Amino acid sequence: MDRELLRTVKQATKNHAIVLYHRFVSHLPHLLATTALVVIAPHLSTLLMTPHKLLDLWRDGRWAQTNNVTTTTISGPALAMACWAAVLAAYTYASSRPRPVYLVDLAGYKAPAKHEASRAKTIAHFSRCGRFSEQSMAFQKRMLERSGLGEATHFPMSLISLPVDMCLATAKEESHAVIFGVVDEILRKAAVAPEDVGVLIFNSSLLSPTPSFTSLIVNRYRFRHDVVAHNLSGMGCSAGIIAIDLAKRLLQVHRNTYALVVSTENITLNAYMGNNRPMLVTNTLFRVGGAAILLSNRRSDRRRSKYQLIHTVRTHRGAHDQSYGCVTQEEDEAGCVGVSLSKELMLVAGEALKTNITTLGPLVLPMSEQLRFLATVVLKKVFRADVKAYLPDFKLAFDHFCIHAGGRGVLDELEKSLKLSAWHMEPSRMTLYRFGNTSSSSLWYEMAYCEAKRRIKKGDRVWQIAFGSGFKCNSAVWKALRTIDDAGENPWSQDVDVLPVDVPRVVPIDEASYQVPN
């Protein structure tokens, strides 16, 4: 415990030093420009002279400025150097500032009513697949009763039809419905033409066909030939923030353009039909979903945008064997493919979160919270005082929390670790309840929930936290540019008035409530 605390202290100290250094460097051009302007301020009248007069001053070697107080002289070369220094410093400062990245709008996919599957319907269809043992069915039922999922999450038709039709064609049908649904919506809501999009990023971890999904989007919407396209796969549930971070970096290079980010996951080919218990858990959690996010670096879009991206922090603990192997896609003894979740998942997620917030904390927390944390560390390590290490109150830095709805256990642990209230956890818990674990897109359902509930006020800060295989923990911090009184088209429109609902820790499934059609 002491060694772990010491590592945390060292990392926190290092992060503080890095943040201070970057702040100094980022403001250095401004300081140089200010200094140069102070130096040449008494000689502004000379700077306004014509080039010919300045050339004469240079040849004479000296110039004089007379005012009501005194007479000052300075050499021509020194004046010229000061002028050039001021111009260069001002240009360097302006060009070194990162371009602001705005979130213009977002769209979330809501499958048609025919895709809704109650928990009883889910169990009934799984039992008819003929591939699960009685023990496996009992385990899935028990997990589903404790999952926090409601009665209207969505499955692809391939999994709730008889017989189950798990093939590449039906997998593509599922993904196409989600992708076209959210891209159509975001382009319509934002009133942006496809040819105006300069950056396209798509992420889907478990299905990556050829041609890629980015090529599919480019072909359908006739994007321009020089669009910068990236197709991310195998990045897990945190890929949505990775895509946002990549888009942010590309928008620093490509001027005056839009970036379209599409996040989803495919369920059809990744439902597990075997009897390996660690691989059965995903059947009770993952459901159909997807989101599209339109970003812009155009200053003219600030007024109509919803948010500005403030920070992205990415943590990758793949160098640790335990972290690397806690979420893996593999085959069981019978050759059935599925995603296996290890028992160490919660421990690994906790370590990744600790590393991530150690980096994020100095960027967002008030100085008072940082000092309290360091004070308790000094008391414990230097003076050997019997005090607990202080966990900063992130509620002082953020107004809304969008935590990946990976499962009830994950949400319970983060609520406890970050000392959050039920109100703060509501977007994540209701997303899990209404839509299930939609992988990388869950964060956007949660943000859409906050908008639908009219919680977003101008100046509010939103913290998105995502976890994914590898193992990764990624954060994004957004600042609301305006109060959102009308969420417009929203996946929560039909449910917002009846939510939130209380979700007991165990909700028994009445299997008699649904009968499989003959």
Side-chain angles (χ1 to χ4, degrees), residues 30-318:
H30 178 70
L31 295 173
L32 291 175
T34 303
T35 303
L37 289 174
V38 169
V39 170
I40 66 173
H43 317 300
L44 289 177
S45 60
T46 304
L47 295 181
L48 298 176
M49 290 182 179
T50 63
H52 295 293
K53 290 185 177 181
L54 285 175
L55 182 59
D56 291 338
L57 286 174
W58 178 276
R59 290 171 177 172
D60 293 343
R62 302 186 67 80
W63 70 277
Q65 176 186 4
T66 304
N67 54 36
N68 295 331
V69 180
T70 185
T71 299
T72 307
T73 61
I74 185 172
S75 65
L79 173 62
M81 291 180 64
C83 296
W84 280 110
V87 172
L88 180 61
Y91 174 78
T92 304
Y93 174 71
S95 61
S96 65
R97 299 295 296 168
R99 295 183 180 87
V101 174
Y102 306 116
L103 190 157
V104 179
D105 216 328
L106 59 95
Y109 180 73
K110 185 177 181 180
K114 65 180 181 179
H115 289 266
E116 290 184 357
S118 65
R119 296 175 305 143
K121 181 177 180 179
T122 301
I123 291 297
H125 275 272
F126 280 177
S127 66
R128 289 287 294 269
C129 291
R131 307 182 190 181
F132 298 115
S133 65
E134 292 184 4
Q135 293 80 5
S136 294
M137 286 303 306
F139 175 75
Q140 290 182 93
K141 180 182 178 181
R142 191 162 61 249
M143 291 296 298
L144 198 53
E145 291 176 335
R146 293 161 173 77
S147 65
L149 272 67
E151 302 293 351
T153 58
H154 303 110
F155 269 115
M157 293 305 297
S158 57
L159 296 181
I160 53 177
S161 60
L162 290 174
V164 169
D165 188 12
M166 297 173 61
C167 65
L168 183 59
T170 55
K172 286 184 176 180
E173 287 178 8
E174 175 198 340
S175 291
H176 290 186
V178 175
I179 294 168
F180 300 152
V182 294
V183 174
D184 285 347
E185 182 181 342
I186 193 65
L187 294 178
R188 182 175 63 254
K189 289 172 66 175
V192 170
E195 57 266 23
D196 292 331
V197 177
V199 175
L200 172 63
I201 302 175
F202 178 90
N203 70 268
S204 174
S205 288
L206 297 174
L207 179 63
S208 184
T210 300
S212 67
F213 281 122
T214 52
S215 295
L216 171 72
I217 297 171
V218 169
N219 177 262
R220 179 180 176 89
Y221 295 95
R222 297 297 187 255
F223 280 23
R224 65 195 199 211
H225 69 90
D226 62 343
V227 64
V228 179
H230 293 271
N231 199 104
L232 307 180
S233 64
M235 304 297 285
C237 297
S238 67
I241 300 299
I242 295 174
I244 292 295
D245 180 71
L246 176 58
K248 177 190 74 172
R249 295 172 186 270
L250 291 171
L251 287 175
Q252 299 305 311
V253 179
H254 301 276
R255 296 175 179 272
N256 200 36
T257 191
Y258 292 100
L260 176 62
V261 175
V262 182
S263 295
T264 187
E265 189 54 88
N266 187 272
I267 308 300
T268 296
L269 287 181
N270 297 288
Y272 175 63
M273 295 299 170
N275 293 288
N276 188 326
R277 183 164 292 189
M279 301 167 73
L280 286 168
V281 178
T282 56
N283 288 348
T284 65
L285 292 175
F286 285 91
R287 298 294 185 267
V288 172
I293 306 92
L294 188 69
L295 304 175
S296 173
N297 60 7
R298 300 183 179 190
R299 294 190 182 276
S300 60
D301 282 323
R302 178 184 175 88
R303 181 174 298 179
R304 74 186 187 110
S305 296
K306 291 183 174 181
Y307 309 92
Q308 181 176 343
L309 182 59
I310 306 300
H311 301 292
T312 53
V313 175
R314 293 168 55 177
T315 299
H316 201 312
R317 292 182 59 85

Side-chain angles (χ1 to χ4, degrees), residues 492-507:
W492 298 94
S493 299
Q494 298 177 353
D495 306 285
V496 67
D497 293 332
V498 298
L499 297 174
V501 297
D502 179 59
V503 184
R505 299 194 66 83
V506 180
V507 184

